[in-house]
């Protein structure tokens, strides 16, 4: 299977990695990755005491836990800046298949 690859001006082939998953066990819902991403790939979600995830409607409400969710993976450009700002390093990436 071939992957999406770009040839840089230097002539070097580069394969970008796109967001693939977020480790929900490690994520603390701090929002640093969300604030970094200008492409609206991520969404902060609440987790109730039964483990079900739902969209946060009011930031002031109390939730059992908050975690980040990949809402629009198709918007990812492979910059990996979200994980560069993640204190827990819970985001993983993979190249896109063509």
């Amino acid at each position: 299977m071939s992957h999406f690859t770009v040839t840089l001006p230097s002539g070097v082939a580069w394969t970008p990695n796109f967001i693939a998953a977020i480790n929900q066990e490690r994520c603390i819902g701090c929002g640093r990755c969300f604030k970094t991403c200008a492409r609206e790939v991520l969404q902060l979600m609440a987790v109730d005491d039964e483990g079900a995830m739902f969209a946060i409607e009011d930031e002031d409400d109390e939730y059992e836990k908050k975690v980040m969710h990949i809402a629009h993976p198709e918007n990812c450009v492979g910059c990996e800046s979200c994980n560069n700002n993640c204190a827990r390093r819970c985001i993983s990436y993979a190249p896109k298949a063509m």
Side-chain angles (χ1 to χ4, degrees), residues 2 8 28-30 47 50-51 53 57 62-63 69 73 89 95:
S2 63
L8 300 175
I28 58 172
C30 67
V47 180
E50 295 174 3
M53 287 186 4
E57 305 212 0
E62 292 292 320
Y63 301 102
H69 169 71
R89 297 286 188 253

Side-chain angles (χ1 to χ4, degrees), residues 1-7 14-16 18 94-98:
M1 177 187 316
S2 63
H3 298 288
F4 176 76
T5 303
V6 176
T7 302
W14 173 64
T15 302
F18 299 89
K96 273 196 180 164
M98 292 188 63

Side-chain angles (χ1 to χ4, degrees), residues 18-38:
F18 299 89
I19 194 163
I22 298 175
N23 184 327
Q24 302 296 332
E25 299 297 317
R26 295 189 69 183
C27 180
I28 58 172
C30 67
R32 293 167 96 184
C33 57
F34 176 81
K35 292 174 186 172
T36 300
C37 182

Side-chain angles (χ1 to χ4, degrees), residues 26-32 44-45 65-68 88:
R26 295 189 69 183
C27 180
I28 58 172
C30 67
R32 293 167 96 184
L44 189 60
M45 302 288 281
K65 182 179 177 182
K66 294 179 185 177
V67 295
M68 205 52 65
R88 304 295 299 247

Side-chain angles (χ1 to χ4, degrees), residues 39-70:
R39 307 281 302 169
E40 298 180 357
V41 173
L42 305 170
Q43 178 181 8
L44 189 60
M45 302 288 281
V47 180
D48 65 14
D49 54 355
E50 295 174 3
M53 287 186 4
F54 56 94
I56 294 177
E57 305 212 0
D58 185 1
E59 286 290 326
D60 294 332
D61 286 348
E62 292 292 320
Y63 301 102
E64 185 72 24
K65 182 179 177 182
K66 294 179 185 177
V67 295
M68 205 52 65
H69 169 71
I70 303 171

